[in-house]
Amino acid sequence: MNDLFKKLISHAKEYGFIFPSSEIYDGLSAVYDYGPNGVELKNNIRKYWWDSMVLLHENIVGVDSAIFMHPEIWKASGHVGAFNDPLIDNKTSQKRYRADVLVEEYLEKINQKIEKELSKAAKRFGDEFDEKQFRETNPRVLANQQKKDEIHKRFVTALENNDLKDLKQIILDCEIADPVSGSREWTDVRQFNLMFETKLGSLSEDANSIYLRPETAQGIFVNFLNVQKSSRMKLPFGIAQTGKAFRNEIVARQFIFRMREFEQMEMQFFVKPGEELKWFKSWKEKRMKWHQSLLVDHSKLRYHDHDKLAHYANAATDIEFNYPIGFKEVEGIHSRTDFDLSQHQKFSGKKLQYFDTEANKSYVPYVIETSIGLDRMFLAVISNAYSEEKAPNADGKLEDRLIMKIPPALAPVKIAVLPLVKKDGLPEKARELIKTLQYDHNCQYDEKDSIGRRYRRQDAIGTPYCITLDHQTMTDNTVTVRDRDSMKQDRVLIPELPGFVSEKLSMRKLFEKL
Ligand code: GAP
């Protein structure tokens, strides 16, 4: 873990964003709890997603399906048979790894060697440097590239053929060692199903195993006709859902990036067969715009188109965010053909077809899926927001200022109301002011410590506005409004406050960018 990531994790704990789960019992691996500021930020991100889907599209509606579902659903969806990761144990350290990740990390190391040669050469030759020629002629780069290509080819074939023996052999041939113990004593590779299994009391003895859902999507597919009929939806239309999903991840040590209990925000968009690639392109662009609306620096986002498609997909891309741990997937967009609905038709024996009145025929619609992890989005927002600056204190001396530049409409606390002193009627007036603002905004009252320290506390949680009441307030009914980012202070009449702050705090500004 790099320094920035470590600092972010400790900041998230200190300021009530994220706590390790069950901490007083030494924690539970890859499970986290959201604190008072975390839950507000998470709710706001969810609302921004939900409203940009359901509020802004007349042809998208929502559902909230149960976490427990009939076990046959997971056979139909392919999760019982194929939702596996290949795992391997190290006999010396007794640590468990994902075999594919060990090989990927090894390939990345070779890649880094090549990059190092390239950057050394670029420095040496300056403007004269011809990267293409260097790659084609330098013996060290050529040897590493050849090695990388050979292993990569063998690795992809092993994964495609589910050849676990060869996957282990690659690890042995590459002399990959356990990062903890350095040992090369590996067990065989085994497939490990990621679904959590539990028992449902009321089912008969032989069918009482059910699963905690590993994705929210299937709750949408099995309700396709219920929603279409009850809401009289016509193609193309979408169904959105947010909710918890559970995966027994083998390797989960990247804070809230990979958890065993997490939340998804998914939307399945049902279209006429043959129109799916047009809609895939459209959703790919729309979703990128949504991410961009929250960022000043758009270079922190990129697409990663999939070369190797899942058997049910005919197009797929990820939107990746540049986290402190590098570019990683925050959202997936898939053209899932008619796979899911057809499978549920087959397994349930019930028709899941749409009657197209114009074409006068019934068919199974095709589906475009947009699927984003709420926790990963949360991590993207806080990583992007975390910033260390220098700012002048009351005496004009520069001091450290830690500020969370969260988009104002998503900030956990929108307005801090701060009486300059704890007397002369200022606290009472401050509480009166909160009463007028709290219907629209999450406000926080704070009277402890110097005003400078109170500003720093609010900066550290990303509060866009601090309103200070002073003695002048009692004579002319004005307050100072301090802007988090510019630290500029304006004197504003109390009756004009709601108008002054609301533009920046409302989600409308974000919606207008979509
Ligand atoms: N219905 C499609 C689906 O579930 P996925 O790529 O497996 O696709 C979608 O998951 C999103 O869910 C990912 O882009 C990621 O943001 C989030 N996600 C997946 N596994 C996760 C985990 N273990 N912890 C946190 N977020 C996860």
Side-chain angles (χ1 to χ4, degrees):
M1 263 193 224
N2 61 39
D3 268 4
L4 172 61
F5 205 40
K6 281 188 200 151
K7 278 189 200 170
L8 191 66
I9 295 168
S10 80
H11 185 81
K13 182 167 178 231
E14 187 181 347
Y15 285 91
F17 285 93
I18 296 166
F19 308 130
S21 160
S22 321
E23 198 186 5
I24 57 167
Y25 290 91
D26 296 331
L28 187 65
S29 158
V31 186
Y32 289 90
D33 297 338
Y34 284 79
N37 288 319
V39 68
E40 294 292 339
L41 175 57
K42 194 177 179 200
N43 285 344
N44 293 341
I45 298 173
R46 192 191 296 104
K47 181 169 166 48
Y48 181 47
W49 181 88
W50 184 267
D51 286 356
S52 60
M53 288 290 178
V54 176
L55 197 75
L56 301 192
H57 292 92
E58 63 177 76
N59 61 349
I60 300 182
V61 289
V63 290
D64 182 15
S65 69
I67 287 173
F68 292 148
M69 299 172 80
H70 195 287
E72 281 296 298
I73 287 174
W74 305 110
K75 286 190 191 153
S77 68
H79 284 82
V80 170
F83 194 51
N84 299 321
D85 276 343
L87 72 82
I88 190 165
D89 292 290
N90 185 276
K91 291 182 194 163
T92 316
S93 69
Q94 312 224 319
K95 292 255 175 222
R96 180 161 286 180
Y97 297 92
R98 264 177 65 176
D100 54 336
V101 172
L102 286 178
V103 179
E104 276 166 7
E105 284 172 357
Y106 180 77
L107 289 169
E108 182 51 32
K109 273 190 196 145
I110 305 180
N111 201 35
Q112 281 168 9
K113 281 188 190 161
I114 298 173
E115 293 298 323
K116 214 169 155 192
E117 291 289 347
L118 288 173
S119 77
K120 264 190 343 204
K123 262 194 204 146
R124 191 154 22 102
F125 295 113
D127 290 345
E128 308 282 280
F129 182 57
D130 180 342
E131 185 182 320
K132 188 166 175 284
Q133 193 196 15
F134 190 80
R135 278 183 184 275
E136 286 166 0
T137 53
N138 180 277
R140 277 191 300 273
V141 171
L142 279 173
N144 274 325
Q145 189 63 48
Q146 192 188 352
K147 187 172 165 191
K148 189 182 146 194
D149 292 345
E150 278 169 15
I151 300 167
H152 185 255
K153 193 166 161 222
R154 201 172 144 200
F155 173 57
V156 170
T157 313
L159 286 184
E160 277 174 356
N161 299 336
N162 202 12
D163 186 345
L164 303 183
K165 264 201 176 134
D166 199 43
L167 197 51
K168 177 175 177 184
Q169 200 53 49
I170 297 173
I171 291 174
L172 297 180
D173 292 350
C174 294
E175 302 186 339
I176 297 175
D178 174 3
V180 175
S181 64
S183 144
R184 294 193 195 123
E185 291 291 311
W186 296 107
T187 62
D188 287 342
V189 178
R190 284 175 293 143
Q191 286 293 17
F192 176 76
N193 193 289
L194 299 186
M195 283 197 294
F196 284 100
E197 213 177 311
T198 186
K199 305 273 180 212
L200 194 71
S202 62
L203 286 184
S204 67
E205 273 303 300
D206 55 347
N208 60 357
S209 266
I210 56 161
Y211 301 99
L212 295 186
R213 65 179 177 200
E215 61 172 16
T216 58
Q218 299 304 324
I220 295 179
F221 292 126
V222 297
N223 276 303
F224 162 70
L225 269 193
N226 281 339
V227 174
Q228 190 263 321
K229 289 194 168 146
S230 60
S231 301
R232 293 177 292 115
M233 305 303 283
K234 285 208 160 15
L235 289 190
F237 75 91
I239 305 177
Q241 160 152 250
T242 70
K244 287 278 175 109
F246 304 83
R247 295 182 189 179
N248 202 357
E249 300 281 359
I250 302 170
V251 183
R253 39 177 138 78
Q254 288 162 321
F255 192 37
I256 57 168
F257 182 81
R258 196 176 300 286
M259 300 201 284
R260 298 206 162 101
E261 174 181 342
F262 58 100
E263 191 162 339
Q264 289 186 316
M265 308 192 283
E266 300 199 295
M267 195 277 299
Q268 312 293 329
F269 198 70
F270 300 91
V271 304
K272 263 188 194 164
E275 292 189 353
E276 70 277 10
L277 292 180
K278 175 185 93 182
W279 284 109
F280 173 74
K281 185 169 176 286
S282 153
W283 278 107
K284 192 174 151 177
E285 285 162 12
K286 261 178 189 262
R287 292 305 303 148
M288 181 56 101
K289 266 196 174 172
W290 186 87
H291 288 274
Q292 287 173 342
S293 70
L294 298 172
L295 278 178
V296 179
D297 179 4
H298 292 181
S299 72
K300 288 194 173 175
L301 293 166
R302 71 179 187 196
Y303 289 118
H304 170 233
D305 293 331
H306 293 206
D307 310 320
K308 187 179 165 276
L309 295 171
H311 58 284
Y312 53 79
N314 63 5
T317 197
D318 294 336
I319 293 180
E320 294 185 337
F321 176 79
N322 194 3
Y323 291 98
I325 44 174
F327 270 103
K328 302 230 176 261
E329 171 186 346
V330 56
E331 171 156 7
I333 299 147
H334 300 107
S335 172
R336 294 182 71 120
T337 66
D338 59 352
F339 174 79
D340 302 271
L341 290 180
S342 299
Q343 284 290 97
H344 288 308
Q345 265 199 159
K346 200 163 110 193
F347 278 72
S348 68
K350 310 270 171 19
K351 275 209 160 22
L352 285 176
Q353 302 200 346
Y354 172 79
F355 181 69
D356 185 330
T357 45
E358 274 167 33
N360 199 26
K361 62 174 184 184
S362 295
Y363 50 79
V364 178
Y366 271 43
V367 173
I368 308 301
E369 168 182 79
T370 71
S371 174
I372 167 171
L374 176 51
D375 313 86
R376 279 198 196 172
M377 190 58 209
F378 186 103
L379 184 58
V381 170
I382 61 169
S383 331
N384 189 56
Y386 184 92
S387 112
E388 291 170 359
E389 293 178 0
K390 294 265 179 223
N393 65 14
D395 310 322
K397 265 203 195 142
L398 281 186
E399 63 177 31
D400 292 333
R401 173 178 185 237
L402 208 155
I403 161 173
M404 290 297 269
K405 293 185 175 171
I406 297 170
L410 303 185
V413 175
K414 301 289 190 294
I415 300 170
V417 180
L418 318 170
L420 191 63
V421 289
K422 279 190 255 181
K423 55 183 184 182
D424 304 334
L426 292 181
E428 293 75 15
K429 181 99 178 158
R431 292 204 186 278
E432 239 174 66
L433 178 58
I434 287 187
K435 282 212 177 101
T436 66
L437 295 171
Q438 69 189 8
Y439 295 115
D440 300 307
H441 308 291
N442 188 14
C443 298
Q444 197 170 82
Y445 175 83
D446 190 2
E447 60 175 24
K448 264 209 194 105
D449 298 323
S450 72
I451 196 72
R453 287 185 76 165
R454 282 183 268 171
Y455 285 159
R456 295 287 172 269
R457 272 205 289 273
Q458 295 301 331
D459 286 346
I461 61 168
T463 307
Y465 288 122
C466 286
I467 295 178
T468 306
L469 294 88
D470 52 19
H471 288 103
Q472 191 179 330
T473 308
M474 305 308 273
T475 57
D476 67 3
N477 212 27
T478 63
V479 289
T480 61
V481 183
R482 172 188 179 268
D483 181 280
R484 177 193 71 193
D485 300 327
S486 65
M487 295 195 291
K488 194 172 149 266
Q489 304 208 9
D490 286 292
R491 192 109 212 154
V492 181
L493 268 167
I494 288 182
E496 288 170 9
L497 264 180
F500 186 87
V501 295
S502 69
E503 194 192 306
K504 199 160 159 181
L505 298 182
S506 122
M507 280 193 189
R508 196 189 172 103
K509 274 238 153 181
L510 295 176
F511 291 141
E512 282 168 2
K513 294 190 198 170
L514 299 178

